[in-house]
Amino acid sequence: MNFKIKNISLKQPFIMMVLFALLGVLHSCYSFTGSSLTDEKTVQINEFPNNAPLVNPALSQQFSTDIQNRFLQRTTLKGTKENPDILIEGEISDYTISPTTISSNTQTNPSGGVIQQAQNKLTITVKVHYENKIHPDSSFDRTYTDEATFNSNLSQADIESSQVKLVTERIINKIFNDIVANW
């Protein structure tokens, strides 16, 4: 492909060089990772004990493992137990399953009565202490809550395998974004 501008022939390799140079300049001005963690090298993420009145026995270990994996897999931070640049710790302070609404899905049973399906809501609350030793002004203590509504006929095993996973993943996303993206 040739372009002529005032009798100057620009060939495709020249255009590609200009585009790469322009991308190089843009990349040096803006980090495409969006991470606010620039000088931090190490992280310590302590176990999040489940101190909720209703205890899901697997929640503490699963949440702790998932948040550790998120930071170690999606950042350049290295895990450590001694003198970390970043410390993340906290507790699961609430875990509730409560009835919410009766849905508009109705069925007629054989005796002529109407059956309405109820829905329940799972709510999980996590308190987080984030300490950044390199940039202390970024440190915070926050509470994160999320919930999921589900059909009340789900078994406890189904709730724990699907709904708990969904809610904890959203909470971990919020924590991760607040620490790494610093929006």
Side-chain angles (χ1 to χ4, degrees):
M1 172 186 270
N2 290 331
F3 296 100
K4 291 198 175 196
I5 300 173
K6 293 187 179 184
N7 296 328
I8 299 174
S9 177
L10 300 175
K11 302 223 183 255
Q12 199 170 18
F14 177 74
I15 293 172
M16 295 302 287
M17 281 186 358
V18 170
L19 286 175
F20 281 122
L22 183 60
L23 283 174
V25 169
L26 286 175
H27 184 69
S28 67
C29 297
Y30 179 78
S31 170
F32 290 102
T33 63
S35 176
S36 66
L37 304 178
T38 54
D39 304 321
E40 298 83 348
K41 304 290 183 233
T42 59
V43 63
Q44 177 178 337
I45 302 173
N46 293 334
E47 185 173 337
F48 281 70
N50 189 346
N51 296 326
L54 177 62
V55 175
N56 174 334
L59 182 59
S60 174
Q61 183 176 1
Q62 188 61 51
F63 185 86
S64 300
T65 301
D66 289 350
I67 195 167
Q68 288 171 0
N69 288 342
R70 176 68 54 92
F71 278 87
L72 295 176
Q73 292 173 358
R74 295 193 184 177
T75 67
T76 58
L77 296 170
K78 303 293 181 215
T80 186
K81 292 288 183 185
E82 295 179 13
N83 198 25
D85 296 334
I86 292 175
L87 172 65
I88 302 170
E89 58 188 358
E91 68 172 338
I92 299 162
S93 59
D94 192 32
Y95 176 93
T96 56
I97 298 174
S98 57
T100 58
T101 60
I102 297 176
S103 73
S104 61
N105 296 337
T106 59
Q107 301 171 349
T108 306
N109 66 16
S111 64
V114 174
I115 302 171
Q116 294 184 323
Q117 293 185 345
Q119 291 186 324
N120 289 336
K121 178 173 65 174
L122 168 69
T123 305
I124 299 176
T125 302
V126 179
K127 292 181 181 178
V128 175
H129 171 74
Y130 164 63
E131 186 177 327
N132 187 322
K133 292 180 183 174
I134 306 293
H135 301 285
D137 54 320
S138 299
S139 300
F140 61 76
D141 289 296
R142 293 188 186 149
T143 301
Y144 296 87
T145 300
D146 209 304
E147 60 191 37
T149 304
F150 56 92
N151 196 323
S152 64
N153 64 1
L154 283 182
S155 69
Q156 189 68 28
D158 289 339
I159 294 168
E160 290 176 8
S161 68
S162 63
Q163 304 305 310
V164 170
K165 185 172 179 63
L166 173 72
V167 172
T168 58
E169 185 175 313
R170 290 192 295 215
I171 290 173
I172 290 170
N173 282 339
K174 291 176 188 178
I175 295 167
F176 184 81
N177 287 339
D178 282 356
I179 292 171
V180 175
N182 195 17
W183 293 78

